[in-house]
Amino acid sequence: MTSPNTLATIRFGTGLRPEFPAASPEAMLAALSEPDQMVTAFPLDSYETRAAFRIEYTRLQRARNDSEEAEAAFRDIRDALNREVLNQMAVTLARGVADPHGLRERLVWFWADHFTTVGGRGFMRGAIAAYIDEQIRPHVAGRFGDMLEAAILHPVMVLYLDQERSYGPNSLTGQRRGASLNENLARELLELHTVGADGGYTQDDVRQMAELLTGLGVTRDGALAFRPNNAEPGAETVMGNSYGGDGQARLADIRAALHDLAIRPETAAHVSRKLADHFLSDTPDPGLVADMQAVWMETGGDLAAVTATLLTHPAAMTPGPGRVKQPLHFLASALRALEVPPEGVIRAPLHRLRNLAARPMAAMGQGWQNASGPDGYFDDDAEWIGPQTLAARIAWCMTVPSELRPQLPDPRAFARDALGDAAPPDLQLAAARAESRIEGVGLVLASPAFQRS
Amino acid sequence: MSRLTRRDLLLRASAIGCSAAASPLMTPVAFASAPTDNRLVVIILRGAMDGLDLVQPYGDPDFSGYRPDFAIGPAAGAQDLDGFFALHPGLGDLMPLWQAGELGFAHAVSTPYRNQRSHFDGQDLLEAGTGAETVGRSYEDGWLNRLVQTLPGATRETALAVGREEALILRGAAPSVAWSPASRLGLTPATADLLGMLYHDDPLFREAFEDAEFYSDLLHGAFDGGDMEDGEMMEAMADSISASNRSVTARSLASFAAERLREDARIASFSLGGWDTHRGQVNRMGGALRHLSSAISELRSGLGPDWDRTVVLAMTEFGRTVRQNGSAGTDHGTGSALVMAGGAIRGGRVVGDWPGLGQGDLFADRDLMPTRDVRAYAAWAMAGLFGTDRAALEGQIFPGLDLGPDPGLLR
């Protein structure tokens, strides 16, 4: 019989780790208001540092043909960039491995995916982890409106969704160059980040939102810019609310619109549903979603309260097959069960990070920082488990654990380490029958009980 | 990694102006090249190899009645060995070795493990080399490691563990080298069955796994990329499956072991799986034996002239039931067979006291009755190869073992 703590740690955290007791939903939620220890223990570069790196990178790239030394210097910095991207993956995994239960990491992964950015254009390159750490992470138990503002008003998002190329048709720049709007960010802001595709907005709302967002850009140093010369003059009306129009366009008008969107009932419904969907199932209990939505509206989008509603709702604690773990989640939980030390993940040589984590995750359908679009990774079990992607998961289970631990545990004991009282009888049987430790441990990790949460 | 040769050491010793033997600067590595000229290879057959199917007692009147669906004896394709035993065709390629006296078997052997029939406990005991009273304990070292401890002049290079997992058999105080080839998925049929069982009640996993069986090469470890149809997808899978892009096969394990045994290594161990033949044994046993066959062939060709100074022992944690089960397989049993190969052995024979298969002859009325401790054969092989004395064999390497009479394993 699966205990509530086991269930909560597997479903809402990063899984069991023998050294830690399974955590109750209440304990997991309480930890969210404690200082963020993982970001202190396993820090990453700030966006500022990454931006400075990017400037140096561009300088060396331009100079690479000047001399052999310049070519070598460029190669060095390119290698450093590739190392850094893998390091970001290692740190992300290490935090998931080290935390006593991992709820905060799961929430960071969810919200980072909600505000997905992908790619290496300009200042984005090498900076996505910093964007997540600085814009998303501090707000996972804060206000959705603050997270929305932090994510949208950041150079990485501005670049990703082409906002720096959007000009008010009647702005000074628009008039001078005949430049016009790019609706990309405005549309995704409504469709993906806030009210949702069925949130009742019209094409006119998208256009108004796009006009409101004009002026956003990125400085030569990689900082967020607001350029009134690019901004469409006059007021914009988005979903019934009017912004600006009294004098020069201001960043404050955009902020006001974002905070209004954050507490709309459509946003509360769309994002609550997505959150429940991510952690529970394609068809989350309607009562649960309604409760989350109500709390969202009562608290003005307080994500700690909304998350607490999710974790403590009876419908969230139904035992049985849960969501298929996304590959990042699966790897982190497997490393926990295998008691891989987080420091070992951080210190792993690049080829091991590449071969034991990055490539396998890509083969499982989740390339590192490589979602296919701004809608991020899908929350659809069937999309994650196909013949090839399941083969990739099985392959990892059967080959990688022995690379990580010279002495694998007895599979019968490992089933208990990995799943505690959630280990189903057939899994205990299979673990006991496996031909060898490698295969027994592999079977435990490849089993639906472990692959699902 | 560069290796010191004897010549290097002599040159170095003369350069520092003293004899190698007397120099406190010289570590035992100075003598690494030869604590002995003889070689021992131990292959662990993980999953409980059916000795009765490998070396079939077709001359025993009771045998075929237990296994109506099995292919038994020369009439069914096995190679006659001595008029009583026949060799499974899966090892048929090794018949020239048998004829040359370089392949032999000991039948009705087992470790002291009895009655519980757990692979892990059984394999641990096989590798620890200890008595039944230690079952379930956490072991510090294995018997090959304790052998190395008795070899004068042994170094880190003397013993070699080849494979993905640190082998208990070589774990212990004596340092040894472990080499792990980049691995590629090779699900054994038994493991695929167990996965199938785990996925049975989860339609999403079950259907994906059934479809994945389409990629049977992938799941059965023969992923050479020769017939790639969907290049990119297969490449992605191959990437996920291997740490680099080399495949681990029985041959590659043996090839690496042979290479090192030609150099400073004298003792090597690796594992072969696929023996847990609970169903469809006719096909599965053949597949597993072909891996064993190619490993032994590779050792022979790779060792070249050193084959004559080599003993290969392939042993398993326990045998399988005498009776076939309901799915044309066999379940966990007790007595099995030991495979011996190498130019140093006196092969061409099946040794051991045959316990018979009649009423009352079986262990627990189900398994082949072991008539000798498999450790005794290993011990006599070590005594012959390395001059290991009885006190070390019975006290240190295999504590509590009664060596018994000398079976005369070596030439």
Side-chain angles (χ1 to χ4, degrees), chain B residues 274-326:
Chain B
W275 306 100
D276 202 17
T277 48
H278 286 284
R279 69 184 180 90
Q281 179 160 331
V282 169
N283 289 327
R284 292 177 178 194
M285 188 73 176
L289 282 171
R290 274 187 286 282
H291 291 300
L292 176 60
S293 174
S294 74
I296 291 175
S297 298
E298 185 66 27
L299 284 170
R300 186 192 187 205
S301 61
L303 280 163
D306 291 327
W307 176 251
D308 287 345
R309 291 184 285 275
T310 298
V311 171
V312 181
L313 301 175
M315 50 179 68
T316 189
E317 67 265 31
F318 44 73
R320 309 191 71 82
T321 50
V322 174
R323 294 177 189 87
Q324 72 176 58
N325 63 18

Side-chain angles (χ1 to χ4, degrees), chain A residues 93-405:
Chain A
L93 277 169
R95 291 173 180 171
V97 168
D99 190 81
H101 47 73
L103 172 62
R104 193 193 302 272
E105 305 311 314
R106 291 286 310 284
L107 290 170
V108 170
W109 300 345
F110 170 80
W111 291 111
D113 186 66
H114 184 73
F115 292 107
T116 292
T117 56
V118 191
R121 192 145 36 83
F123 285 101
M124 289 184 74
R125 184 177 282 197
I128 287 174
Y131 155 82
I132 294 169
D133 265 12
E134 294 171 4
Q135 311 308 116
I136 307 285
R137 190 171 180 102
H139 302 294
V140 297
R143 290 201 178 275
F144 178 73
D146 294 339
M147 188 192 288
L148 179 67
E149 178 189 331
I152 301 299
L153 300 184
H154 190 272
V156 165
M157 182 65 87
V158 166
L159 287 167
Y160 177 49
L161 292 177
D162 307 314
Q163 186 57 41
E164 90 285 9
R165 302 178 192 180
S166 182
Y167 305 91
N170 300 306
S171 68
L172 285 174
T173 313
Q175 291 290 307
R176 201 166 57 231
R177 294 197 213 153
S180 188
L181 291 175
N182 183 315
E183 294 180 354
N184 202 1
L185 177 60
R187 182 177 303 281
E188 305 303 12
L189 170 59
L190 294 172
E191 178 185 332
L192 299 175
H193 302 143
T194 59
V195 297
D198 52 2
Y201 61 89
T202 64
Q203 173 55 36
D204 196 46
D205 288 314
V206 173
R207 188 178 169 87
Q208 294 281 308
M209 188 76 230
E211 289 180 4
L212 180 58
L213 290 172
T214 51
L216 289 176
V218 179
T219 69
R220 298 167 68 90
D221 298 332
L224 185 78
F226 187 74
R227 300 188 172 111
N229 286 355
N230 294 354
E232 182 71 3
E236 284 89 16
T237 300
V238 179
M239 299 190 78
N241 293 327
S242 178
Y243 303 95
D246 48 347
Q248 203 184 34
R250 294 168 309 168
L251 196 53
D253 297 330
I254 299 176
R255 287 203 178 97
L258 293 175
H259 282 273
D260 285 348
L261 282 170
I263 54 170
R264 287 188 72 95
E266 299 90 343
T267 299
H270 169 229
V271 185
S272 293
R273 158 84 199 213
K274 187 174 170 186
L275 194 55
D277 198 299
H278 176 79
F279 281 96
L280 300 177
S281 93
D282 296 336
T283 52
D285 180 79
L288 164 64
V289 177
D291 285 0
M292 291 168 69
Q293 190 182 343
V295 168
W296 187 299
M297 294 310 294
E298 282 161 25
T299 62
D302 178 351
L303 294 180
V306 173
T307 305
T309 307
L310 169 65
L311 263 67
T312 55
H313 198 281
M317 296 295 278
T318 318
R323 270 272 180 232
V324 170
K325 291 175 183 172
Q326 293 188 5
L328 173 68
H329 178 195
F330 160 56
L331 252 66
S333 63
L335 298 180
R336 286 171 76 87
L338 289 162
E339 297 182 86
V340 172
E343 297 75 18
V345 180
I346 303 281
R347 285 198 305 265
L350 288 189
H351 71 274
R352 281 177 59 91
L353 289 174
R354 203 174 284 126
N355 292 331
L356 305 183
R359 285 180 178 171
M361 280 202 290
M364 295 174 205
Q366 193 172 39
W368 175 243
Q369 292 181 346
N370 197 26
S372 58
D375 48 345
Y377 290 108
F378 27 79
D379 275 319
D380 179 354
D381 292 345
E383 295 286 340
W384 289 111
I385 300 297
Q388 303 93 327
T389 49
L390 177 60
R393 287 181 189 237
I394 295 169
W396 194 95
C397 297
M398 295 293 167
T399 58
V400 176
S402 57
E403 297 277 340
L404 301 175
R405 272 184 66 161

Side-chain angles (χ1 to χ4, degrees), chain A residues 321 324 351 355-356 359-360 362-364 381-383 385-396 398-400 402-403 405-408 410-412 426-427 429-440 442-444 446-448 451-452, chain B residues 46-47 118-121 123-124 164-166 171 180-188 190-191 194-195 197-199 201-202 204-205 207-209 211-212 215 218-219 230 233 236-237 239-245 273-278 317 332:
Chain A
V324 170
H351 71 274
N355 292 331
L356 305 183
R359 285 180 178 171
M364 295 174 205
D381 292 345
E383 295 286 340
I385 300 297
Q388 303 93 327
T389 49
L390 177 60
R393 287 181 189 237
I394 295 169
W396 194 95
M398 295 293 167
T399 58
V400 176
S402 57
E403 297 277 340
R405 272 184 66 161
Q407 284 173 241
L408 288 178
D410 185 310
R412 293 165 294 187
D426 67 342
L427 179 60
L429 196 67
R433 282 187 185 166
E435 282 190 308
S436 70
R437 280 188 162 77
I438 287 183
E439 283 147 320
L443 284 167
V444 172
S447 70
Q451 291 290 327
R452 292 180 178 275
Chain B
R46 292 186 195 277
S118 147
H119 289 303
F120 319 119
D121 291 343
Q123 288 167 29
D124 278 355
R164 290 198 260 145
E165 192 173 8
E166 187 193 79
R171 193 189 308 155
S180 173
S183 39
R184 174 165 288 164
L185 177 64
L187 287 188
T188 67
T191 303
L194 289 171
L195 267 179
M197 177 188 92
L198 290 172
Y199 291 159
D201 294 332
D202 190 318
L204 177 63
F205 283 79
E207 283 164 27
F209 188 61
D211 289 347
Y215 308 103
L218 170 79
L219 290 171
D230 188 348
M233 180 271 291
M237 271 201 287
D239 275 349
S240 78
I241 282 153
S242 62
S244 74
N245 288 318
W275 306 100
D276 202 17
T277 48
H278 286 284
E317 67 265 31
H332 298 183

